[in-house]
């Protein structure tokens, strides 16, 4: 069994050596073979130099270095693209997530789980604000989105090869990996753990970045913001229509109580509401166009059977064939191979 450990790195020079030592110890004891893939996300400190040194001494170390900072989610994606293991672990470089949890993840994986995500029991060294924002973020996104994203869970997780390939098929940008992992499905299990404090350096996620990530996550997995506009417009239209009806009836039966100003205000609200409804309808179409432009696969197959001597009706178009990650799905010899995920051989 080969284990890949993917580590996005942005200015983490003080953490890389202890991280490497701890992952090496765990991997050597629990995997037949392993690779550690460092993705240097345009670090401006000595991170890349440290990674190169690690590579010199340890053939299990591989790295990809970006031309500039592309952001955590993209760095993670590059790591997944390059990972060749049967099981792939995503871990931050700052040692907040203890590598010693990996053996428990491997156990769960060997017992049949496809994703083992580490769920935080405790998060020392993080401000009250960060905890509150994380608490609100996970609850909000689950309320609004159409996939179940586990609460109090970061990127620290183990994924089966098939899950990684399915996630890598999703090339949308902006992207929210945790959401994509939930989206692809398969058997996902939580593993409770205690998060440590950052070993060295400081967090790269300030308030602005956190808000942007949250907005991207919500927009990527939910049309709720667009629907909310539609509902708001509908509610305003309906209420102003009802109130104007009351005003008209009152003016008819009790002309002394006629209130032209109130009626004008209602008319304004009505028009505003109609405008919002129109905007919401256009928004929904835009939302669907956005969904199409994400180019996610329509579905992800876990297993299939009975196709050994039959050709699926749509198999003439490899793009329409189910995933090549499907176990037991035999592609007939005369049909072209389904498009594979491009995994470039990592270069030194
Ligand atoms: N990171 C990255 N690119 C960025 C920001 C962060 O690759 O633009 C990496 C960072 O080096 C770390 C991980 O993503 O390994 C998580 O970042 P951080 O610890 O700052 O986030 P926090 O744990 O505070 O949410
Ligand atoms: Mg961190």
């Amino acid at each position: 069994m080969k284990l890949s450990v993917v580590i996005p790195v942005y200015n983490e020079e003080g953490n890389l050596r202890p991280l490497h030592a701890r992952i090496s110890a765990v991997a050597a004891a629990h995997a037949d073979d392993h690779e550690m893939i460092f993705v240097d996300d345009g670090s401006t400190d000595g991170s890349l130099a440290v990674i190169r040194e690690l590579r010199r001494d340890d053939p299990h170390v591989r790295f990809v270095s970006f031309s500039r900072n592309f952001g955590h989610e993209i760095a993670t994606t590059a790591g997944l693209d390059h990972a060749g293991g049967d099981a792939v672990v995503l871990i931050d470089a700052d040692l907040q997530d203890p590598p010693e949890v990996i053996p428990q993840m491997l156990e769960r994986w060997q017992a049949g789980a496809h994703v083992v995500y580490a769920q935080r029991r405790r998060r020392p060294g993080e401000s009250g604000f960060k905890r509150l924002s994380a608490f609100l973020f996970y609850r909000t996104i689950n309320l609004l989105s159409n996939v179940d994203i586990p609460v109090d869970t970061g990127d620290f997780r183990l994924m089966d090869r098939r899950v990684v390939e399915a996630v890598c098929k999703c090339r949308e940008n902006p992207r929210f990996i945790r959401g994509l992992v939930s989206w692809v499905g398969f058997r996902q299990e939580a593993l409770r753990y205690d998060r440590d404090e950052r070993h060295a350096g400081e967090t790269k996620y300030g308030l602005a970045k956190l808000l942007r990530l949250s907005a991207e996550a919500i927009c990527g997995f939910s049309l709720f913001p667009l629907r909310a506009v539609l509902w708001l417009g509908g509610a305003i239209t309906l209420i102003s229509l009802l109130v104007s009806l009351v005003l008209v009836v009152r003016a008819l039966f009790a002309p002394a109580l006629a209130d032209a100003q109130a009626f004008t205000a209602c008319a304004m609200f009505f028009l505003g509401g109609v405008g919002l409804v129109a905007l919401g309808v256009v928004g929904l179409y835009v939302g669907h166009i956005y969904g199409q432009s994400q180019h996610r696969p329509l579905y992800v197959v876990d297993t299939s059977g009975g196709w050994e001597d039959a050709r699926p009706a749509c198999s003439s178009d490899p793009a329409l064939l189910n995933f090549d990650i499907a176990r037991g799905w035999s592609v007939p010899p005369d049909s072209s191979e389904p498009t594979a995920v491009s995994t470039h051989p990592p270069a030194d």
Side-chain angles (χ1 to χ4, degrees):
M1 182 276 293
K2 181 174 174 180
L3 171 71
S4 298
V5 183
V6 168
I7 311 145
V9 176
Y10 182 50
N11 295 345
E12 304 279 6
E13 63 174 330
N15 296 320
L16 298 177
R17 283 181 214 282
L19 177 76
H20 170 262
R22 283 171 63 180
I23 295 178
S24 295
V26 167
H30 293 92
D32 305 327
D33 185 15
H34 73 275
E35 62 180 359
M36 243 180 274
I37 302 175
F38 291 90
V39 183
D40 167 36
D41 186 11
S43 297
T44 49
D45 66 352
S47 295
L48 182 58
V50 177
I51 295 170
R52 281 185 195 281
E53 274 172 34
L54 291 173
R55 162 76 195 166
R56 213 167 299 144
D57 302 334
D58 179 2
H60 296 110
V61 170
R62 293 181 158 147
F63 67 91
V64 179
S65 180
F66 285 172
S67 56
R68 65 170 172 85
N69 179 250
F70 281 87
H72 183 190
E73 304 288 318
I74 304 291
T76 306
T77 305
L80 294 181
D81 285 344
H82 287 77
D86 305 302
V88 180
V89 168
L90 272 183
I91 191 167
D92 286 352
D94 56 5
L95 284 169
Q96 274 188 301
D97 304 322
E100 292 70 25
V101 173
I102 295 175
Q104 294 171 50
M105 291 179 165
L106 284 169
E107 259 173 44
R108 297 281 193 95
W109 173 67
Q110 273 149 357
H114 296 114
V115 175
V116 186
Y117 54 85
Q119 201 164 37
R120 298 152 190 172
R121 250 193 308 243
R122 184 175 83 84
R123 25 196 319 160
E126 290 189 348
S127 64
F129 168 75
K130 182 128 192 192
R131 279 182 220 193
L132 179 70
S133 56
F135 179 86
L136 289 177
F137 169 70
Y138 290 116
R139 269 80 192 167
T140 316
I141 191 154
N142 272 335
L143 198 68
L144 302 187
S145 73
N146 36 22
V147 290
D148 250 348
I149 297 170
V151 297
D152 301 326
T153 306
D155 285 324
F156 187 29
R157 59 190 57 215
L158 177 145
M159 286 177 269
D160 185 83
R161 167 99 244 123
R162 292 189 297 155
V163 174
V164 172
E165 289 186 12
V167 168
C168 286
K169 292 249 181 193
C170 303
R171 305 310 285 181
E172 69 204 59
N173 188 25
R175 53 203 284 110
F176 181 54
I177 303 279
R178 273 167 255 173
L180 288 176
V181 175
S182 297
W183 181 85
V184 300
F186 294 103
R187 198 169 137 194
Q188 312 217 355
E189 288 183 8
L191 179 73
R192 307 275 286 163
Y193 82 118
D194 291 327
R195 203 171 198 213
D196 288 337
E197 287 188 35
R198 194 170 233 288
H199 177 77
E202 51 193 46
T203 175
K204 278 70 185 184
Y205 277 94
L207 176 62
K209 247 184 165 180
L210 271 180
L211 286 176
R212 203 178 66 201
L213 181 72
S214 313
E216 281 169 2
I218 289 168
C219 291
F221 288 91
S222 162
L223 291 186
F224 177 82
L226 299 173
R227 292 216 175 92
V229 173
L230 195 64
W231 290 341
L232 183 70
I236 292 175
T237 310
L238 205 70
I239 291 170
S240 51
L241 207 63
L242 287 176
V243 176
S244 10
L245 258 176
V246 171
L247 288 175
V248 168
V249 171
R250 200 170 64 163
L252 282 178
F253 290 95
L257 293 177
D259 187 344
Q261 261 184 358
F263 191 75
T264 315
C266 269
M268 277 171 54
F269 272 109
F270 178 76
L271 284 179
V274 169
L276 276 184
V277 169
L279 203 65
V281 170
V282 173
L284 281 186
Y285 282 99
V286 173
H288 288 302
I289 295 169
Y290 174 58
Q292 293 279 352
S293 70
Q294 285 175 320
H295 290 304
R296 278 188 207 157
L298 291 181
Y299 52 88
V300 180
V301 173
D302 184 3
T303 50
S304 59
W307 297 99
E308 292 75 14
D309 48 6
R311 187 188 175 93
C314 291
S315 68
S316 55
D317 179 357
L320 291 176
L321 241 184
N322 70 356
F323 273 170
D324 46 314
I325 59 171
R327 271 191 197 152
W329 186 283
S330 76
V331 181
D334 59 328
S335 79
S336 48
E337 283 291 320
T339 37
V341 182
S342 68
T343 41
H344 314 285
D348 271 12

